[in-house]
Amino acid sequence: MTREWQLVVGLEVHAQLLTRSKIFCGCPTTFGGEPNTHVCPVCLGMPGVLPALNRQVVEFAVRTGLALGCAIQEKSVFARKNYFYPDLPKGYQVSQYELPICVGGGVDLTLDGVERRVRLTRIHMEEDAGKNLHGVAADGSSGVDLNRAGVPLLEIVSEPDIRSIDEAVEYLKSLRAILMFLGVNDGNLEEGSFRCDANVSLMPVGSTVLGTRCELKNMNSFRFLRQAIEFEVRRQSEILEGGGRVVQETRLFDPQRGETRSMRSKEEAHDYRYFPEPDLPPVRVPAAWIEEVRRSLPELPRARAARYQRDLSLSAYDAGLLTADRETAEFFDASVRARGGGAESAKRIANLLTGEVARLANDAGAGTSRGKLTPEALAGVVRLTEAGTLGGPGIRQVLEELFRQGGDPAVVVASRGLAQVSDESAVEGACDAVLTAFPGEVERFRAGESKLLGFLVGQVMKGMKGKGNPAVVNAMLKRKLGA
Ligand code: ADP
Ligand code: MG
Ligand code: ZN
């Protein structure tokens, strides 16, 4: 970004809804499968068929709208968006236009410690298109796979409120986390179930008049989004500085070359000849239903993170890690409940979850976030630690065993002999042995080389195979050395 230009971004997100069946028919929404096996006359666009709206789609839209602070419209209308493309068998997409189901709302972000809100324009429901497959047939010709045709989507449109690339990425990450928390979307950018078009323009710094935008398509990772906007900023600023004008158009990001290319000139709404879908009645969402959905909303990531900081004195960083996904947040909450202690215990649970347990999960590979560890078992580990039964190396070993095999921490500690030794006479025996074995070091310590205490503690721990309670060992050695 040069000094003279202010970046302006508005994002349109398409999120596939996690319903079992498609939006207007009973076909499954499962990703993949042999081409054209999840299809029926309705989603193939045969003449004479009638769509029937999937109620779950509406509920997911309401849930999402409520979570994002939108006004839910009691009446909304499906419309036909007409365009011709091989992957669109009907020649139009059923979407919402003038009367979408949700309007307004926003996504709150914290960017470099500063609170920001990106407003939403609207959220509407629509059907996905199929997919063109090139060179798939034996003779090298192309085909169309309509398994995805009719899969329900939410289109979430932001206002042009975003002012930096970091903010665009943060917005997308927050929105994705919210949708995943709500259980309406799987957040998979790679498979295209969460995808985004970025509208990018520049205006002179200090101006309030937005410049001409380009719409960037096909960014299936946060990194690509970043690269595409960076490229576009360079391209547009060069045009503007050369005295030229940016042409409003749709551009495709090419990840291989790291650049955007013109795809087509921007179509206007009138090109689509929108009109109300005559085969579907207006969507009615009774106020009572909206309230029912509102009551079923889970606690969302930001609210949760704020609660962890406020009630459990966790750092913003830890609170952020623990609310990155719903599973982790719920595992943490359940562990804290099972432990029943105060903020101290919660902090210990947080440390183990974001430290040792995360490391074990990482080593084990994706999809095994907690292995066989349960919240009750984690709470048990913390209880044993607080009782002095478990110390550093023991904690690690117990967790590893619980992660791989599951079980009761107390039983694992007993059967594998992992308990920390706090017994005074056992510790005293080990200390005496070390004091006898290292007379030189003992003498130097007494002569003032105080850092040798660490060495002696280390020798005692070694003699006790790492199981000595460090606090007891320290106190015992100091007493014996008259320190
Ligand atoms: P379309 O349906 O043609 O894509 P919309 O009016 O729905 O057009 O706008 C799409 C997106 O473009 C919105 O997210 C909006 O915030 C964004 N947008 C509009 N004007 C600008 C601009 N000048 N610069 C950047 N983004 C913009
Ligand atoms: Mg658009
Ligand atoms: Zn179908």
Side-chain angles (χ1 to χ4, degrees), residues 100-138:
I101 186 154
C102 307
V103 297
V107 176
D108 293 312
L109 315 169
T110 308
L111 207 70
D112 300 325
V114 181
E115 303 278 309
R116 295 268 300 140
R117 180 173 177 83
V118 175
R119 291 167 302 158
L120 295 180
T121 314
R122 57 190 270 146
I123 301 177
H124 67 249
M125 304 175 281
E126 62 184 27
E127 59 180 343
D128 208 346
K131 213 173 188 165
N132 295 324
L133 302 172
H134 297 294
V136 283

mmCIF file of all heavy atoms in Angstrom, residues 100-138:
data_model
loop_
_atom_site.group_PDB
_atom_site.id
_atom_site.type_symbol
_atom_site.label_atom_id
_atom_site.label_comp_id
_atom_site.label_asym_id
_atom_site.label_seq_id
_atom_site.Cartn_x
_atom_site.Cartn_y
_atom_site.Cartn_z
ATOM 1 N N PRO A 100 -34.223 -10.413 1.257
ATOM 2 C CA PRO A 100 -33.431 -11.510 1.819
ATOM 3 C C PRO A 100 -33.905 -11.842 3.239
ATOM 4 O O PRO A 100 -34.638 -11.046 3.841
ATOM 5 C CB PRO A 100 -32.018 -10.940 1.855
ATOM 6 C CG PRO A 100 -32.217 -9.473 2.043
ATOM 7 C CD PRO A 100 -33.512 -9.127 1.332
ATOM 8 N N ILE A 101 -33.472 -12.970 3.757
ATOM 9 C CA ILE A 101 -33.959 -13.383 5.078
ATOM 10 C C ILE A 101 -33.343 -12.579 6.225
ATOM 11 O O ILE A 101 -33.991 -12.383 7.256
ATOM 12 C CB ILE A 101 -33.778 -14.902 5.287
ATOM 13 C CG1 ILE A 101 -34.426 -15.348 6.589
ATOM 14 C CG2 ILE A 101 -32.308 -15.316 5.237
ATOM 15 C CD1 ILE A 101 -34.861 -16.774 6.621
ATOM 16 N N CYS A 102 -32.103 -12.085 6.052
ATOM 17 C CA CYS A 102 -31.457 -11.315 7.123
ATOM 18 C C CYS A 102 -30.912 -10.009 6.572
ATOM 19 O O CYS A 102 -30.300 -10.003 5.504
ATOM 20 C CB CYS A 102 -30.270 -12.065 7.729
ATOM 21 S SG CYS A 102 -30.631 -13.729 8.290
ATOM 22 N N VAL A 103 -31.092 -8.932 7.316
ATOM 23 C CA VAL A 103 -30.454 -7.670 6.927
ATOM 24 C C VAL A 103 -29.718 -7.077 8.123
ATOM 25 O O VAL A 103 -30.088 -7.290 9.273
ATOM 26 C CB VAL A 103 -31.468 -6.634 6.367
ATOM 27 C CG1 VAL A 103 -32.117 -7.136 5.096
ATOM 28 C CG2 VAL A 103 -32.532 -6.299 7.387
ATOM 29 N N GLY A 104 -28.665 -6.314 7.810
ATOM 30 C CA GLY A 104 -27.884 -5.662 8.867
ATOM 31 C C GLY A 104 -27.030 -6.661 9.635
ATOM 32 O O GLY A 104 -26.736 -7.741 9.157
ATOM 33 N N GLY A 105 -26.627 -6.257 10.832
ATOM 34 C CA GLY A 105 -25.766 -7.094 11.650
ATOM 35 C C GLY A 105 -24.307 -6.743 11.427
ATOM 36 O O GLY A 105 -23.988 -5.751 10.751
ATOM 37 N N GLY A 106 -23.419 -7.546 11.964
ATOM 38 C CA GLY A 106 -21.999 -7.245 11.818
ATOM 39 C C GLY A 106 -21.122 -8.279 12.483
ATOM 40 O O GLY A 106 -21.606 -9.156 13.191
ATOM 41 N N VAL A 107 -19.831 -8.167 12.206
ATOM 42 C CA VAL A 107 -18.848 -9.062 12.815
ATOM 43 C C VAL A 107 -17.867 -8.196 13.601
ATOM 44 O O VAL A 107 -17.282 -7.263 13.046
ATOM 45 C CB VAL A 107 -18.093 -9.873 11.739
ATOM 46 C CG1 VAL A 107 -17.004 -10.738 12.372
ATOM 47 C CG2 VAL A 107 -19.061 -10.736 10.939
ATOM 48 N N ASP A 108 -17.721 -8.489 14.894
ATOM 49 C CA ASP A 108 -16.794 -7.729 15.739
ATOM 50 C C ASP A 108 -15.424 -8.383 15.718
ATOM 51 O O ASP A 108 -15.311 -9.607 15.800
ATOM 52 C CB ASP A 108 -17.318 -7.678 17.176
ATOM 53 C CG ASP A 108 -18.586 -6.862 17.262
ATOM 54 O OD1 ASP A 108 -18.605 -5.749 16.714
ATOM 55 O OD2 ASP A 108 -19.568 -7.348 17.862
ATOM 56 N N LEU A 109 -14.409 -7.554 15.608
ATOM 57 C CA LEU A 109 -13.035 -8.057 15.528
ATOM 58 C C LEU A 109 -12.151 -7.290 16.497
ATOM 59 O O LEU A 109 -12.435 -6.141 16.821
ATOM 60 C CB LEU A 109 -12.438 -7.802 14.142
ATOM 61 C CG LEU A 109 -13.245 -8.090 12.912
ATOM 62 C CD1 LEU A 109 -12.528 -7.502 11.703
ATOM 63 C CD2 LEU A 109 -13.374 -9.592 12.771
ATOM 64 N N THR A 110 -11.056 -7.914 16.906
ATOM 65 C CA THR A 110 -10.013 -7.179 17.609
ATOM 66 C C THR A 110 -8.785 -7.242 16.731
ATOM 67 O O THR A 110 -8.316 -8.318 16.384
ATOM 68 C CB THR A 110 -9.719 -7.803 18.978
ATOM 69 O OG1 THR A 110 -10.956 -7.943 19.676
ATOM 70 C CG2 THR A 110 -8.785 -6.911 19.784
ATOM 71 N N LEU A 111 -8.304 -6.071 16.331
ATOM 72 C CA LEU A 111 -7.170 -6.022 15.412
ATOM 73 C C LEU A 111 -6.074 -5.192 16.065
ATOM 74 O O LEU A 111 -6.265 -4.008 16.313
ATOM 75 C CB LEU A 111 -7.632 -5.371 14.098
ATOM 76 C CG LEU A 111 -6.863 -5.792 12.866
ATOM 77 C CD1 LEU A 111 -7.168 -7.239 12.515
ATOM 78 C CD2 LEU A 111 -7.210 -4.880 11.700
ATOM 79 N N ASP A 112 -4.950 -5.828 16.375
ATOM 80 C CA ASP A 112 -3.861 -5.160 17.097
ATOM 81 C C ASP A 112 -4.394 -4.459 18.346
ATOM 82 O O ASP A 112 -4.060 -3.310 18.620
ATOM 83 C CB ASP A 112 -3.152 -4.125 16.194
ATOM 84 C CG ASP A 112 -2.548 -4.779 14.971
ATOM 85 O OD1 ASP A 112 -2.084 -5.932 15.087
ATOM 86 O OD2 ASP A 112 -2.562 -4.153 13.886
ATOM 87 N N GLY A 113 -5.273 -5.162 19.050
ATOM 88 C CA GLY A 113 -5.795 -4.610 20.298
ATOM 89 C C GLY A 113 -6.912 -3.597 20.119
ATOM 90 O O GLY A 113 -7.459 -3.105 21.101
ATOM 91 N N VAL A 114 -7.248 -3.261 18.874
ATOM 92 C CA VAL A 114 -8.297 -2.268 18.633
ATOM 93 C C VAL A 114 -9.589 -2.980 18.233
ATOM 94 O O VAL A 114 -9.585 -3.876 17.395
ATOM 95 C CB VAL A 114 -7.886 -1.278 17.520
ATOM 96 C CG1 VAL A 114 -8.977 -0.242 17.291
ATOM 97 C CG2 VAL A 114 -6.568 -0.606 17.874
ATOM 98 N N GLU A 115 -10.709 -2.596 18.854
ATOM 99 C CA GLU A 115 -12.008 -3.195 18.526
ATOM 100 C C GLU A 115 -12.550 -2.599 17.235
ATOM 101 O O GLU A 115 -12.554 -1.378 17.074
ATOM 102 C CB GLU A 115 -13.019 -2.899 19.648
ATOM 103 C CG GLU A 115 -12.590 -3.369 21.015
ATOM 104 C CD GLU A 115 -12.879 -4.840 21.231
ATOM 105 O OE1 GLU A 115 -14.022 -5.253 20.983
ATOM 106 O OE2 GLU A 115 -11.946 -5.571 21.627
ATOM 107 N N ARG A 116 -12.980 -3.477 16.327
ATOM 108 C CA ARG A 116 -13.542 -3.007 15.059
ATOM 109 C C ARG A 116 -14.837 -3.756 14.799
ATOM 110 O O ARG A 116 -15.026 -4.864 15.278
ATOM 111 C CB ARG A 116 -12.563 -3.296 13.912
ATOM 112 C CG ARG A 116 -11.262 -2.544 14.003
ATOM 113 C CD ARG A 116 -11.302 -1.231 13.246
ATOM 114 N NE ARG A 116 -11.569 -1.440 11.821
ATOM 115 C CZ ARG A 116 -12.375 -0.648 11.098
ATOM 116 N NH1 ARG A 116 -12.965 0.385 11.641
ATOM 117 N NH2 ARG A 116 -12.574 -0.896 9.816
ATOM 118 N N ARG A 117 -15.715 -3.148 14.034
ATOM 119 C CA ARG A 117 -16.926 -3.844 13.639
ATOM 120 C C ARG A 117 -17.084 -3.727 12.135
ATOM 121 O O ARG A 117 -17.050 -2.619 11.593
ATOM 122 C CB ARG A 117 -18.144 -3.245 14.339
ATOM 123 C CG ARG A 117 -19.449 -3.931 13.973
ATOM 124 C CD ARG A 117 -20.579 -3.385 14.843
ATOM 125 N NE ARG A 117 -21.873 -3.966 14.494
ATOM 126 C CZ ARG A 117 -22.326 -5.136 14.933
ATOM 127 N NH1 ARG A 117 -21.574 -5.862 15.734
ATOM 128 N NH2 ARG A 117 -23.511 -5.583 14.574
ATOM 129 N N VAL A 118 -17.205 -4.845 11.457
ATOM 130 C CA VAL A 118 -17.475 -4.838 10.028
ATOM 131 C C VAL A 118 -18.972 -5.110 9.885
ATOM 132 O O VAL A 118 -19.465 -6.158 10.307
ATOM 133 C CB VAL A 118 -16.649 -5.917 9.298
ATOM 134 C CG1 VAL A 118 -17.045 -5.968 7.830
ATOM 135 C CG2 VAL A 118 -15.157 -5.643 9.455
ATOM 136 N N ARG A 119 -19.677 -4.148 9.338
ATOM 137 C CA ARG A 119 -21.136 -4.301 9.214
ATOM 138 C C ARG A 119 -21.494 -5.261 8.084
ATOM 139 O O ARG A 119 -20.765 -5.386 7.107
ATOM 140 C CB ARG A 119 -21.790 -2.933 8.950
ATOM 141 C CG ARG A 119 -21.720 -1.981 10.142
ATOM 142 C CD ARG A 119 -22.088 -0.579 9.729
ATOM 143 N NE ARG A 119 -21.184 -0.125 8.656
ATOM 144 C CZ ARG A 119 -21.470 0.838 7.793
ATOM 145 N NH1 ARG A 119 -22.630 1.471 7.859
ATOM 146 N NH2 ARG A 119 -20.595 1.187 6.851
ATOM 147 N N LEU A 120 -22.616 -5.905 8.248
ATOM 148 C CA LEU A 120 -23.128 -6.767 7.185
ATOM 149 C C LEU A 120 -24.250 -6.052 6.469
ATOM 150 O O LEU A 120 -25.011 -5.296 7.072
ATOM 151 C CB LEU A 120 -23.678 -8.073 7.761
ATOM 152 C CG LEU A 120 -22.664 -8.996 8.448
ATOM 153 C CD1 LEU A 120 -23.374 -10.243 8.963
ATOM 154 C CD2 LEU A 120 -21.556 -9.390 7.475
ATOM 155 N N THR A 121 -24.339 -6.287 5.168
ATOM 156 C CA THR A 121 -25.442 -5.739 4.395
ATOM 157 C C THR A 121 -26.637 -6.672 4.527
ATOM 158 O O THR A 121 -27.741 -6.249 4.848
ATOM 159 C CB THR A 121 -25.047 -5.636 2.905
ATOM 160 O OG1 THR A 121 -23.744 -5.072 2.823
ATOM 161 C CG2 THR A 121 -26.044 -4.797 2.136
ATOM 162 N N ARG A 122 -26.391 -7.952 4.268
ATOM 163 C CA ARG A 122 -27.472 -8.906 4.192
ATOM 164 C C ARG A 122 -26.950 -10.329 4.216
ATOM 165 O O ARG A 122 -25.768 -10.581 3.963
ATOM 166 C CB ARG A 122 -28.230 -8.718 2.876
ATOM 167 C CG ARG A 122 -27.271 -8.853 1.685
ATOM 168 C CD ARG A 122 -27.900 -8.433 0.388
ATOM 169 N NE ARG A 122 -28.555 -9.568 -0.259
ATOM 170 C CZ ARG A 122 -29.660 -9.460 -0.987
ATOM 171 N NH1 ARG A 122 -30.209 -8.275 -1.145
ATOM 172 N NH2 ARG A 122 -30.201 -10.512 -1.549
ATOM 173 N N ILE A 123 -27.835 -11.243 4.521
ATOM 174 C CA ILE A 123 -27.538 -12.669 4.354
ATOM 175 C C ILE A 123 -28.725 -13.256 3.608
ATOM 176 O O ILE A 123 -29.870 -12.999 3.980
ATOM 177 C CB ILE A 123 -27.409 -13.396 5.710
ATOM 178 C CG1 ILE A 123 -26.303 -12.772 6.559
ATOM 179 C CG2 ILE A 123 -27.131 -14.887 5.495
ATOM 180 C CD1 ILE A 123 -26.168 -13.402 7.929
ATOM 181 N N HIS A 124 -28.460 -14.002 2.548
ATOM 182 C CA HIS A 124 -29.584 -14.656 1.897
ATOM 183 C C HIS A 124 -29.295 -16.126 1.614
ATOM 184 O O HIS A 124 -28.153 -16.576 1.674
ATOM 185 C CB HIS A 124 -30.017 -13.890 0.636
ATOM 186 C CG HIS A 124 -29.015 -13.916 -0.465
ATOM 187 N ND1 HIS A 124 -28.311 -12.808 -0.858
ATOM 188 C CD2 HIS A 124 -28.605 -14.923 -1.279
ATOM 189 C CE1 HIS A 124 -27.508 -13.125 -1.856
ATOM 190 N NE2 HIS A 124 -27.668 -14.398 -2.129
ATOM 191 N N MET A 125 -30.371 -16.857 1.350
ATOM 192 C CA MET A 125 -30.278 -18.294 1.056
ATOM 193 C C MET A 125 -30.285 -18.474 -0.457
ATOM 194 O O MET A 125 -30.969 -17.746 -1.163
ATOM 195 C CB MET A 125 -31.502 -19.025 1.625
ATOM 196 C CG MET A 125 -31.711 -18.821 3.114
ATOM 197 S SD MET A 125 -33.258 -19.585 3.709
ATOM 198 C CE MET A 125 -34.492 -18.388 3.200
ATOM 199 N N GLU A 126 -29.543 -19.460 -0.937
ATOM 200 C CA GLU A 126 -29.590 -19.771 -2.364
ATOM 201 C C GLU A 126 -29.096 -21.193 -2.605
ATOM 202 O O GLU A 126 -28.618 -21.860 -1.688
ATOM 203 C CB GLU A 126 -28.761 -18.759 -3.172
ATOM 204 C CG GLU A 126 -27.291 -18.745 -2.824
ATOM 205 C CD GLU A 126 -26.516 -17.652 -3.575
ATOM 206 O OE1 GLU A 126 -27.108 -16.631 -3.943
ATOM 207 O OE2 GLU A 126 -25.307 -17.844 -3.783
ATOM 208 N N GLU A 127 -29.227 -21.634 -3.840
ATOM 209 C CA GLU A 127 -28.757 -22.980 -4.181
ATOM 210 C C GLU A 127 -27.395 -22.887 -4.860
ATOM 211 O O GLU A 127 -27.101 -21.926 -5.560
ATOM 212 C CB GLU A 127 -29.755 -23.683 -5.106
ATOM 213 C CG GLU A 127 -29.990 -22.936 -6.413
ATOM 214 C CD GLU A 127 -30.978 -23.646 -7.335
ATOM 215 O OE1 GLU A 127 -31.232 -24.831 -7.122
ATOM 216 O OE2 GLU A 127 -31.478 -22.996 -8.267
ATOM 217 N N ASP A 128 -26.569 -23.921 -4.636
ATOM 218 C CA ASP A 128 -25.269 -23.969 -5.298
ATOM 219 C C ASP A 128 -25.458 -24.487 -6.727
ATOM 220 O O ASP A 128 -26.486 -25.097 -7.047
ATOM 221 C CB ASP A 128 -24.317 -24.893 -4.519
ATOM 222 C CG ASP A 128 -22.849 -24.488 -4.686
ATOM 223 O OD1 ASP A 128 -22.562 -23.688 -5.593
ATOM 224 O OD2 ASP A 128 -22.016 -24.975 -3.915
ATOM 225 N N ALA A 129 -24.471 -24.238 -7.580
ATOM 226 C CA ALA A 129 -24.489 -24.759 -8.944
ATOM 227 C C ALA A 129 -23.707 -26.067 -8.988
ATOM 228 O O ALA A 129 -23.127 -26.484 -7.987
ATOM 229 C CB ALA A 129 -23.852 -23.736 -9.880
ATOM 230 N N GLY A 130 -23.679 -26.708 -10.132
ATOM 231 C CA GLY A 130 -22.871 -27.915 -10.306
ATOM 232 C C GLY A 130 -21.423 -27.551 -10.588
ATOM 233 O O GLY A 130 -20.989 -26.429 -10.311
ATOM 234 N N LYS A 131 -20.705 -28.484 -11.157
ATOM 235 C CA LYS A 131 -19.276 -28.270 -11.376
ATOM 236 C C LYS A 131 -18.898 -28.786 -12.761
ATOM 237 O O LYS A 131 -19.205 -29.931 -13.095
ATOM 238 C CB LYS A 131 -18.527 -29.082 -10.324
ATOM 239 C CG LYS A 131 -17.245 -28.453 -9.864
ATOM 240 C CD LYS A 131 -16.697 -29.257 -8.699
ATOM 241 C CE LYS A 131 -15.517 -28.554 -8.093
ATOM 242 N NZ LYS A 131 -15.192 -29.109 -6.787
ATOM 243 N N ASN A 132 -18.229 -27.945 -13.537
ATOM 244 C CA ASN A 132 -17.734 -28.405 -14.840
ATOM 245 C C ASN A 132 -16.433 -29.168 -14.633
ATOM 246 O O ASN A 132 -15.563 -28.727 -13.893
ATOM 247 C CB ASN A 132 -17.458 -27.213 -15.758
ATOM 248 C CG ASN A 132 -18.745 -26.482 -16.097
ATOM 249 O OD1 ASN A 132 -19.790 -27.099 -16.256
ATOM 250 N ND2 ASN A 132 -18.667 -25.167 -16.193
ATOM 251 N N LEU A 133 -16.333 -30.311 -15.264
ATOM 252 C CA LEU A 133 -15.104 -31.108 -15.165
ATOM 253 C C LEU A 133 -14.507 -31.195 -16.559
ATOM 254 O O LEU A 133 -15.172 -31.647 -17.492
ATOM 255 C CB LEU A 133 -15.430 -32.519 -14.644
ATOM 256 C CG LEU A 133 -16.121 -32.586 -13.280
ATOM 257 C CD1 LEU A 133 -16.552 -34.021 -12.981
ATOM 258 C CD2 LEU A 133 -15.198 -32.075 -12.184
ATOM 259 N N HIS A 134 -13.273 -30.745 -16.659
ATOM 260 C CA HIS A 134 -12.676 -30.699 -17.994
ATOM 261 C C HIS A 134 -11.770 -31.890 -18.253
ATOM 262 O O HIS A 134 -11.025 -32.307 -17.390
ATOM 263 C CB HIS A 134 -11.931 -29.382 -18.185
ATOM 264 C CG HIS A 134 -12.865 -28.206 -18.108
ATOM 265 N ND1 HIS A 134 -13.841 -27.990 -19.056
ATOM 266 C CD2 HIS A 134 -13.025 -27.241 -17.182
ATOM 267 C CE1 HIS A 134 -14.546 -26.924 -18.730
ATOM 268 N NE2 HIS A 134 -14.079 -26.449 -17.585
ATOM 269 N N GLY A 135 -11.882 -32.435 -19.454
ATOM 270 C CA GLY A 135 -11.022 -33.551 -19.855
ATOM 271 C C GLY A 135 -11.244 -34.817 -19.060
ATOM 272 O O GLY A 135 -10.315 -35.568 -18.806
ATOM 273 N N VAL A 136 -12.485 -35.053 -18.650
ATOM 274 C CA VAL A 136 -12.733 -36.235 -17.822
ATOM 275 C C VAL A 136 -13.100 -37.466 -18.638
ATOM 276 O O VAL A 136 -12.812 -38.594 -18.240
ATOM 277 C CB VAL A 136 -13.865 -35.978 -16.792
ATOM 278 C CG1 VAL A 136 -13.344 -35.142 -15.650
ATOM 279 C CG2 VAL A 136 -15.072 -35.338 -17.461
ATOM 280 N N ALA A 137 -13.732 -37.252 -19.772
ATOM 281 C CA ALA A 137 -14.187 -38.407 -20.550
ATOM 282 C C ALA A 137 -13.002 -39.065 -21.265
ATOM 283 O O ALA A 137 -11.933 -38.472 -21.388
ATOM 284 C CB ALA A 137 -15.230 -37.956 -21.572
ATOM 285 N N ALA A 138 -13.223 -40.308 -21.719
ATOM 286 C CA ALA A 138 -12.160 -41.075 -22.366
ATOM 287 C C ALA A 138 -11.607 -40.316 -23.579
ATOM 288 O O ALA A 138 -10.414 -40.360 -23.865
ATOM 289 C CB ALA A 138 -12.703 -42.436 -22.793
#
